Amino acid sequence: MPTHALFPTLVHVAPLKSRTAASLNKRLLRECKQLALDDEAGQRWSASNYPGGFTSYSSASRMHQLSPTFAQLERALDRHVAKFVRELELDLTGRELTMTDCWVNIMPRQVVHSLHLHPLSTISGTYYVQTPKRSSGLKFEDPRLERFMASPPRLPDARAERRPWFVVPAQAGHVVLFESWLRHEVPPNPVDAERISISFNYNWF
Ligand SMILES: [Fe+2]
């Protein structure tokens, strides 16, 4: 009697693979840094909600509609999202999955992004612009965790997919996609350099 692996939780991790990926990343880096200097509403919001760091989550949250550079990133991400949708075997008949939000996150040393999910979205993800060596990865939580109750812990050397947490290392030029209901966090950045990423949501209309 075979053992089935049921109800898998899929996470897509891949290099962006645009023909112009290197130059695109360079331009994104420049624009992310410039936005952090210019976006005063974002600075104010970050001071109380993202201590020590900068996010344009509540101020410039549709960067793909404001900047041709981010629009180019959107086109490259669309291809990854389409592939992920096929992998998930989602039936999108009659409706379209499109990018709704796209914002910048800058995390200097010790900045943390606590456990959260992305409401009102279908697919979410992150593109990494700058990832200093040893900077924090993206930590996913087993969505069944609250039901485990008297379940024994996993062996210390259990396979990664058997553990209640899974960390995807942050790698510049790579994209990570997941279903928006999957909770995740970014642990404190332990290195004295800025970890810069662009997060985004796709919704189904
Ligand atoms: Fe997130």
Side-chain angles (χ1 to χ4, degrees):
M1 173 75 183
T3 303
H4 298 283
L6 298 174
F7 315 119
T9 306
L10 305 187
V11 174
H12 170 96
V13 185
L16 192 63
K17 253 195 185 156
S18 155
R19 267 178 299 141
T20 55
S23 77
L24 174 61
N25 198 69
K26 210 176 278 179
R27 282 181 287 133
L28 286 168
L29 179 61
R30 200 161 51 227
E31 291 192 23
C32 288
K33 289 182 169 179
Q34 192 62 47
L35 182 66
L37 294 173
D38 295 342
D39 177 12
E40 290 178 13
Q43 291 164 8
R44 280 194 300 276
W45 196 86
S46 300
S48 44
N49 297 285
Y50 206 65
F54 168 80
T55 177
S56 69
Y57 176 70
S58 82
S59 47
S61 61
R62 292 182 180 172
M63 287 302 294
H64 57 305
Q65 295 173 359
L66 297 176
S67 151
T69 311
F70 281 71
Q72 190 183 338
L73 174 67
E74 178 191 9
R75 289 193 292 277
L77 291 171
D78 282 348
R79 290 192 286 275
H80 285 265
V81 171
K83 196 173 174 191
F84 189 43
V85 163
R86 286 196 295 276
E87 191 80 19
L88 288 163
E89 300 189 52
L90 300 181
D91 180 0
L92 301 181
T93 310
R95 291 164 74 178
E96 212 181 328
L97 194 59
T98 52
M99 183 180 272
T100 50
D101 315 284
C102 180
W103 66 96
V104 170
N105 311 291
I106 300 184
M107 301 179 74
R109 189 167 190 270
Q110 289 306 334
V111 174
V112 61
H113 195 160
S114 56
L115 200 59
H116 66 283
L117 41 77
H118 294 214
L120 304 175
S121 303
T122 307
I123 303 289
S124 296
T126 297
Y127 170 75
Y128 293 103
V129 181
Q130 175 177 285
T131 51
K133 219 174 171 179
R134 297 189 308 280
S135 56
S136 316
L138 186 55
K139 188 173 177 181
F140 291 100
E141 179 195 68
D142 187 333
R144 306 163 304 172
L145 205 57
E146 66 195 22
R147 295 169 185 241
F148 280 5
M149 295 182 284
S151 172
R154 298 292 184 265
L155 293 168
D157 58 350
R159 275 174 280 177
E161 65 269 27
R162 299 276 193 272
R163 298 180 198 173
W165 297 92
F166 186 89
V167 178
V168 174
Q171 198 176 343
H174 279 59
V175 53
V176 180
L177 300 177
F178 48 91
E179 289 191 79
S180 304
W181 47 258
L182 184 60
R183 287 213 297 185
H184 55 281
E185 67 180 7
V186 183
N189 177 16
V191 295
D192 201 8
E194 288 178 338
R195 176 192 190 277
I196 300 180
S197 63
I198 296 169
S199 296
F200 49 86
N201 292 324
Y202 280 71
N203 207 349
W204 188 42
F205 293 102

